[in-house]
């Protein structure tokens, strides 16, 4: 599963959803473990390895990596458990200065500092803006013969870097800064988050923090190149080897424990000694790398205390049958989908099978059967999803779907699929579907597609693999014809632009449509919900006409924890079960977590 955040979140123009359901099986209370002097707990959301301190590159910006770095890097706001945006945190707060032009002032908490004592100042905010590749950076790249961004930031330049053309306005050492937008921005509250430490980057390239700030303000492209070289590789290329606190300082409640990373197994976090906010409730928070299929047993064995596995009926039944476990159920803002690969080499590229073959697949994919077989046992009200930007719970959903989709792919139609295969000119097409393994539900989804599409003469190859969505995996390299995964959404409005626009930072499939680009520009530049909705109707219609991909369903959510832990609460947004991990504690003697 990929995680996304502004301006990256896909498929979520949703308001807050209501979380429902919390149950305990009543088969046992908190586990008492003699001799456990540390108040330790462990959590897992999957098997994916920690990727690095800089979680803002396209390959490190994932739910799994954010589980770690979000404990170290708070922003100016957060999504509550039910998806409501809240602002004002230990880092600081913001205020709207003017709507015309849209101007926002950010102020850091007087005590805000990085681990080691360096104060968080406007220089850090300025580097954050520069790292999103403003025009002078892209101009420098063009002069050097490249059209690629200098900083490998997951965000495309058009939202923050170009949307705020002058960047943060402040002087070196200021504890506040102001940004002014060139055009209205409907997600203005979400654009600026926490900032990576500019003093670390400066030291790595032989400058002071102030010198780096002044050089960037003066549009010194050579200095920017040096800064980008370090920024782009501010990660952990060798699993198990943590950077020092000097190179990867926390400015959140937890920090990385020295020597606390065992590759493929876990990474351990401890309270940040320089944290100025409320003290975390645990002495150690251990993030374990456990695939969904092993999480229930690991929880039962007390090898992990908090899990958020993929929701299946077998998983729910197993959890309800496990002693000493509290189960949480409810909605999510996560949605499953197939995407087609438009790039050269794919059978769906426009110079090969193209639209006709994509239509053939759409006619033979048994979406209703997938929902009935795999999702309805967990949510009797589950339905096939027909939009990318709105969920069925949204009041706008039916209106947008009616305007953008005529229902031609609601039911499997093998005869139409056969006709489209013939029209494509591809005899006996072979379609490779990739996804992250192990994942039983996705294996089952692909199996259902394989059986159905075989009737239309299409051979489906399951090329799911461990690490398929990881850096260097099949998704990044384009080694697939279709990809199956989920976007984790929230209530952001412009987020889908980063996926569906031609130059979107998360457009990994080579899709390009000038109308889609234009309509996203309308969404991005208007504060009027009616304008946004009308533009999204056009976008959705174009995505259906081109068959960018095929939405399937929204995920039901399940989480569970060792009874006796306190403050564990599901979050319907991409933040996931660990959204408030710093508040987790034990109501009595902690359970064993080793």
């Amino acid at each position: 599963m990929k995680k996304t955040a502004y301006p990256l979140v896909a498929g979520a123009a949703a308001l807050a959803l209501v979380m429902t359901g919390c149950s305990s099986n009543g088969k046992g209370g908190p586990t008492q473990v003699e001799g456990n002097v540390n108040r330790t707990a462990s959590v897992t959301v999957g098997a994916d390895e920690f990727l690095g301190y800089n979680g803002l590159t396209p390959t490190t910006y994932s739910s799994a990596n954010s589980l770690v770095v979000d404990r170290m890097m708070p922003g100016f706001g957060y999504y509550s458990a039910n998806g409501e945006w809240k602002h004002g945190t230990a880092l600081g707060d913001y205020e709207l200065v003017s709507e015309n032009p849209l101007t926002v002032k950010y102020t850091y908490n007087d005590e805000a500092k990085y681990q080691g004592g360096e104060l968080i100042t406007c220089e850090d905010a300025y580097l954050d803006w520069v790292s999103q590749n403003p025009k002078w950076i892209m101009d420098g790249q063009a002069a050097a013969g490249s059209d690629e961004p200098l900083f490998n930031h997951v965000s495309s330049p058009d939202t923050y870097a170009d949307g705020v053309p002058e960047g943060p306005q402040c002087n070196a050492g200021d504890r506040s800064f102001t940004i002014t937008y060139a055009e209205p921005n409907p997600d203005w509250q979400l654009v600026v988050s926490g900032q990576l430490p500019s003093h670390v980057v400066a030291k790595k390239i032989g400058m002071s923090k102030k010198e780096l700030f002044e050089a960037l303000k003066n549009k010194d492209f050579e200095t920017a190149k040096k800064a980008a070289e370090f920024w782009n590789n501010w990660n952990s290329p060798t699993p198990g080897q943590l950077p020092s606190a000097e190179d990867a300082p926390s400015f959140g409640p937890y920090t990385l424990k020295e020597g606390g990373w065992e590759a493929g197994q876990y990474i351990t976090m401890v309270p940040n000694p320089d944290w100025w906010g409320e003290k975390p409730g645990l002495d150690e928070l251990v993030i374990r790398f456990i695939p969904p299929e092993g999480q229930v047993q690991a929880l039962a064995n007390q090898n992990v205390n908090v899990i958020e596995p993929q929701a299946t009926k077998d998983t729910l039944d197993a959890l309800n049958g496990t002693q000493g476990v509290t189960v949480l159920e409810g909605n999510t803002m996560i949605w499953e989908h197939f995407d087609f690969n438009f790039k050269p080499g794919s059978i769906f590229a426009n110079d090969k099978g193209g639209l006709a073959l994509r239509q053939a697949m759409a006619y033979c994919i048994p979406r209703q059967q997938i929902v009935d077989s795999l999702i309805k046992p967990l949510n009797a009200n589950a339905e096939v999803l027909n939009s990318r930007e709105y969920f069925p719970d949204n009041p706008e959903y039916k209106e947008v779907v009616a305007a953008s989709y005529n229902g031609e792919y609601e039911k499997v139609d093998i005869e139409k699929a056969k006709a489209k295969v013939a029209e494509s000119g591809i005899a006996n097409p072979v379609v490779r579907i990739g996804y992250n393994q192990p994942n039983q539900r996705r294996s089952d989804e692909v199996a259902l597609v394989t059986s159905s599409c075989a009737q239309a003469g299409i051979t489906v190859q399951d090329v799911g693999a461990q690490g398929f969505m990881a850096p260097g995996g099949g998704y990044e390299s384009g080694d697939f014809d279709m990809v199956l995964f989920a976007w984790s959404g929230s209530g952001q409005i412009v987020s889908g632009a980063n996926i569906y626009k031609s130059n979107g930072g998360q457009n990994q499939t080579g899709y390009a449509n000038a109308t889609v680009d234009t309509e996203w520009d309308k969404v991005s530049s208007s504060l009027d919900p009616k304008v946004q909705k009308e533009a999204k109707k056009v976008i959705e219609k174009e995505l259906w006409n081109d068959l960018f991909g095929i939405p399937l369903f929204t995920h039901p959510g399940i989480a569970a924890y060792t009874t006796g832990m306190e403050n564990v609460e599901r979050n319907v947004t991409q933040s996931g079960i660990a959204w408030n991990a710093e508040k987790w504690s034990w109501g009595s003697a902690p359970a064993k977590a080793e």
Side-chain angles (χ1 to χ4, degrees):
M1 181 187 300
K2 301 289 284 186
K3 174 188 172 179
T4 51
Y6 189 88
L8 319 167
V9 176
L15 297 176
L17 301 180
V18 177
M19 184 166 61
T20 60
C22 173
S23 63
S24 175
N25 58 37
K27 296 187 177 182
T31 304
Q32 303 283 340
V33 179
E34 297 296 330
N36 190 342
V37 295
N38 285 328
R39 301 187 71 78
T40 298
S42 57
V43 58
T44 185
V45 296
D48 292 347
E49 186 69 81
F50 176 61
L51 299 173
Y53 177 74
N54 181 1
L56 296 174
T57 72
T59 53
T60 60
Y61 198 73
S62 68
S63 298
N65 207 60
S66 293
L67 177 59
V68 178
V69 298
D70 284 358
R71 315 281 72 80
M72 304 168 67
M73 303 177 187
F76 290 97
Y78 63 95
Y79 280 103
S80 66
N82 69 351
E84 183 180 358
W85 179 253
K86 305 282 189 179
H87 67 89
T89 68
L91 177 65
D93 203 354
Y94 56 78
E95 60 178 322
L96 181 64
V97 176
S98 167
E99 289 189 356
N100 188 20
L102 181 59
T103 305
V104 188
K105 181 179 181 181
Y106 293 80
T107 303
Y108 294 114
N109 186 303
D110 288 341
E111 300 178 84
K113 57 182 174 293
Y114 295 106
Q115 184 179 357
E118 181 78 29
L119 291 178
I120 303 175
T121 60
C122 79
E123 293 98 315
D124 304 304
Y126 200 83
L127 177 62
D128 179 53
W129 175 76
V130 169
S131 71
Q132 297 183 52
N133 299 290
K135 185 176 184 299
W136 68 268
I137 290 283
M138 296 306 295
D139 288 346
Q141 284 291 86
S146 173
D147 59 359
E148 294 294 320
L150 179 63
F151 289 84
N152 188 28
H153 201 291
V154 69
S155 297
S156 57
D158 56 343
T159 299
Y160 186 25
D162 294 343
V164 182
E166 300 303 319
Q169 296 301 294
C170 56
N171 296 311
D174 285 354
R175 305 304 302 280
S176 65
F177 60 94
T178 300
I179 63 173
T180 300
Y181 291 85
E183 301 287 344
N185 187 314
D187 282 326
W188 65 267
Q189 295 192 76
L190 313 174
V191 172
V192 177
S193 186
Q195 289 83 47
L196 293 173
S198 64
H199 70 279
V200 175
V201 178
K203 183 177 180 180
K204 290 294 180 180
I205 64 175
M207 304 178 77
S208 71
K209 181 176 180 177
K210 183 177 180 180
E211 287 171 339
L212 174 60
F213 174 62
E214 296 295 344
L216 295 177
K217 286 191 73 173
N218 290 327
K219 302 180 181 180
D220 184 338
F221 186 71
E222 291 305 312
T223 295
K225 283 176 61 178
K226 295 176 184 178
E229 183 176 358
F230 175 75
W231 192 97
N232 292 338
N233 296 286
W234 206 348
N235 50 28
S236 303
T238 304
Q241 294 184 11
L242 284 172
S244 67
E246 185 178 68
D247 286 349
S250 172
F251 56 100
Y254 282 107
T255 190
L256 301 170
K257 180 181 180 180
E258 186 176 355
W261 183 9
E262 183 174 336
Q265 299 297 318
Y266 62 82
I267 190 166
T268 301
M269 309 193 79
V270 295
N272 173 7
D274 294 319
W275 173 243
W276 62 94
E278 182 181 349
K279 183 180 179 181
L282 298 169
D283 294 331
E284 287 190 347
L285 176 66
V286 183
I287 290 91
R288 295 191 176 276
F289 313 134
I290 302 174
E293 290 73 18
Q295 290 181 15
V296 175
Q297 189 61 53
L299 181 66
N301 294 343
Q302 298 176 32
N303 292 324
V304 69
N305 301 115
V306 182
I307 66 173
E308 194 168 27
Q310 188 175 79
T312 67
K313 187 177 186 301
D314 289 345
T315 297
L316 183 59
D317 290 345
L319 286 171
N320 285 329
T322 302
Q323 291 190 345
V325 168
T326 298
V327 182
L328 307 173
E329 298 178 63
N331 293 323
T332 73
M333 298 172 79
I334 301 169
W335 61 286
E336 192 92 344
H337 57 96
F338 286 108
D339 286 350
F340 292 103
N341 191 352
F342 289 73
K343 292 182 178 179
S346 169
I347 198 170
F348 295 112
N350 289 329
D351 63 349
K352 291 191 177 181
L355 177 61
L357 193 57
R358 297 196 296 273
Q359 290 173 322
M361 286 300 299
Y363 280 125
C364 68
I365 290 176
R367 294 198 296 157
Q368 189 65 58
Q369 184 184 8
I370 289 171
V371 171
D372 290 346
S373 302
L374 304 177
I375 308 303
K376 281 196 173 182
L378 290 155
N379 177 6
N381 297 319
E383 59 184 272
V384 171
L385 181 67
N386 286 319
S387 171
R388 302 151 187 85
E389 288 295 302
Y390 297 89
F391 293 153
D393 287 347
N394 301 148
E396 306 94 341
Y397 177 78
K398 289 184 178 179
E399 177 187 347
V400 172
V401 170
S404 60
Y405 173 59
N406 62 17
E408 62 264 51
Y409 308 118
E410 286 299 282
K411 297 180 180 179
V412 169
D413 192 325
I414 296 301
E415 292 309 310
K416 286 185 178 179
K418 288 179 178 178
K420 287 296 180 180
V421 169
E423 182 183 330
S424 76
I426 304 292
N428 304 313
V430 176
V431 175
R432 301 164 299 144
I433 300 180
Y435 59 98
N436 248 4
Q437 283 274 36
N439 190 309
Q440 187 58 52
R441 186 166 73 196
R442 290 194 176 129
S443 295
D444 291 344
E445 290 174 53
V446 174
L448 290 171
V449 173
T450 301
S451 176
S452 180
C453 292
Q455 300 173 63
I458 300 171
T459 300
V460 171
Q461 289 184 350
D462 183 333
V463 295
Q466 186 171 358
F468 183 85
M469 304 296 291
Y475 182 60
E476 183 178 80
S477 66
D479 189 17
F480 64 93
D481 298 311
M482 297 175 67
V483 60
L484 174 61
F485 67 105
W487 285 120
S488 299
S490 64
Q492 301 160 5
I493 297 167
V494 189
S495 51
N498 214 52
I499 297 167
Y500 306 117
K501 287 189 72 171
S502 304
N503 64 346
Q506 289 181 301
N507 181 347
Q508 295 276 49
T509 60
Y511 177 72
N513 180 307
T515 299
V516 170
D517 292 351
T518 297
E519 295 301 317
W520 272 119
D521 289 341
K522 292 179 183 178
V523 175
S524 302
S525 61
S526 176
L527 301 180
D528 186 342
K530 292 182 180 179
V531 172
Q532 297 161 7
K533 182 174 66 175
E534 292 306 310
K536 287 190 175 187
K537 287 179 182 178
V538 177
I539 291 168
E540 290 279 8
K541 186 174 181 62
E542 291 295 316
L543 294 176
W544 274 118
N545 288 345
D546 293 340
L547 281 176
F548 172 93
I550 301 175
L552 295 172
F553 54 82
T554 57
H555 284 208
I558 293 177
Y561 62 92
T562 305
T563 302
M565 287 193 70
E566 296 184 343
N567 302 320
V568 180
E569 189 175 10
R570 283 189 64 247
N571 190 302
V572 300
T573 75
Q574 62 192 30
S575 302
I577 191 65
W579 73 282
N580 66 339
E582 67 278 1
K583 295 184 179 297
W584 293 354
S585 63
W586 289 100
S588 57
K592 185 178 181 182
E594 50 180 69

